[in-house]
Amino acid sequence: RQCAPYLAVVAAASSGICTVLSCLLCFSPWLQRQFMYLAWLRPPFFTYWLPLSDMRRTDLTRLIDFRLQRFSRNAEIHTQDGEILRAWHVAPMRYALPLLEANSDSARETLLNTALASGNDPVVVFLHGQAGTRGILNRVDCVRALAGELQVHVLVLDYRGFGGSTGMPSQSGLVADTVAAFDWLAQRGCQSAYVYGHSLGAAVAVQFALQQQQQQQQ
């Protein structure tokens, strides 16, 4: 009985907080985007999968930490509205030996660009889901499987506002990021590519495909 007044206060306070948060979510587009995309939540925060002596704060440009260094490169994608997206170009794993034998960074770049332009291997633009970065392990495992088991090129990007990319996410912005990824490939001689989306990325992929179809019909 003595606790009843305190429980009533707690219940009233909780109800008030929920009401305020609901109102904020209803009337604040900025807050809606924060919860919809969770771009501010950027795991993995450290390389917990590495031996303890090698564990460090996650650096997405350190391909060696993700076991991608032998057949991949970091990429920077510029969108038409001025954002800069961070990405990886992961080549089919059979390119590991030729890339190892390349005697300079420029030779590696030339080899990778030539491989993209050749049309000998399928190319996939990988669009990941809500929250996190391209460095989340299940995403890395999926990319490695595509490059290893299917021998395809994979361009995996972090949308605007995610994983070191500039800007703030929005529905139209994520589609624009996908367009920019295809432009990046085209600038390197790639004539066609598939788009693969997981979770949130699936919605982006569908919207991108619809936009492309509408543009072709005009």
Side-chain angles (χ1 to χ4, degrees):
R1 293 179 180 178
Q2 293 178 349
C3 293
Y6 299 102
L7 291 174
V9 171
V10 171
S14 300
S15 177
I17 291 171
C18 289
T19 301
V20 170
L21 288 176
S22 297
C23 290
L24 288 174
L25 282 172
C26 287
F27 298 107
S28 172
W30 179 86
L31 197 58
Q32 290 172 9
R33 285 197 296 269
Q34 301 307 307
F35 281 92
M36 180 184 300
Y37 299 108
L38 297 177
W40 47 270
L41 188 60
R42 299 180 179 180
F45 303 108
F46 62 95
T47 56
Y48 59 86
W49 58 90
L50 295 178
L52 189 59
S53 58
D54 297 328
M55 205 175 292
R56 61 175 61 84
R57 185 175 179 180
T58 301
D59 179 356
L60 293 170
T61 65
R62 280 182 56 87
L63 296 173
I64 191 172
D65 289 347
F66 302 93
R67 298 178 298 147
L68 296 172
Q69 76 279 8
R70 293 186 296 119
F71 48 92
S72 306
R73 60 175 164 175
N74 290 300
E76 186 176 276
I77 300 172
H78 294 258
T79 69
Q80 294 181 358
D81 58 348
E83 303 299 350
I84 299 175
L85 313 179
R86 309 301 177 185
W88 295 328
H89 168 211
V90 183
M93 284 189 183
R94 70 172 188 278
Y95 284 98
L97 183 57
L99 287 168
L100 180 64
E101 294 173 345
N103 56 15
S104 67
D105 289 342
S106 61
R108 285 175 57 89
E109 289 289 316
T110 300
L111 194 158
L112 288 168
N113 289 339
T114 301
L116 273 176
S118 70
N120 293 332
D121 307 295
V123 180
V124 172
V125 175
F126 185 98
L127 304 176
H128 66 66
Q130 181 188 47
T133 69
R134 63 191 185 278
I136 289 180
L137 285 193
N138 70 315
R139 295 170 183 171
V140 176
D141 288 343
C142 185
V143 169
R144 284 180 59 86
L146 289 168
E149 297 178 23
L150 299 183
Q151 293 294 310
V152 304
H153 293 272
V154 186
L155 181 62
V156 51
L157 66 144
D158 276 319
Y159 315 107
R160 60 187 64 203
F162 287 75
S165 298
T166 64
M168 179 176 290
S170 65
Q171 181 176 343
S172 60
L174 269 58
V175 175
D177 295 344
T178 309
V179 172
F182 275 79
D183 289 343
W184 186 91
L185 291 169
Q187 291 163 8
R188 286 151 183 81
C190 178
Q191 299 299 314
S192 64
Y194 299 95
V195 58
Y196 171 87
H198 173 255
S199 186
L200 171 68
V204 178
V206 170
Q207 187 64 35
F208 167 77
L210 179 62
Q211 183 184 93
Q212 296 300 302
Q213 182 183 46
Q214 291 172 344
Q215 290 178 354
Q216 289 175 4
Q217 292 174 348
Q218 291 177 355

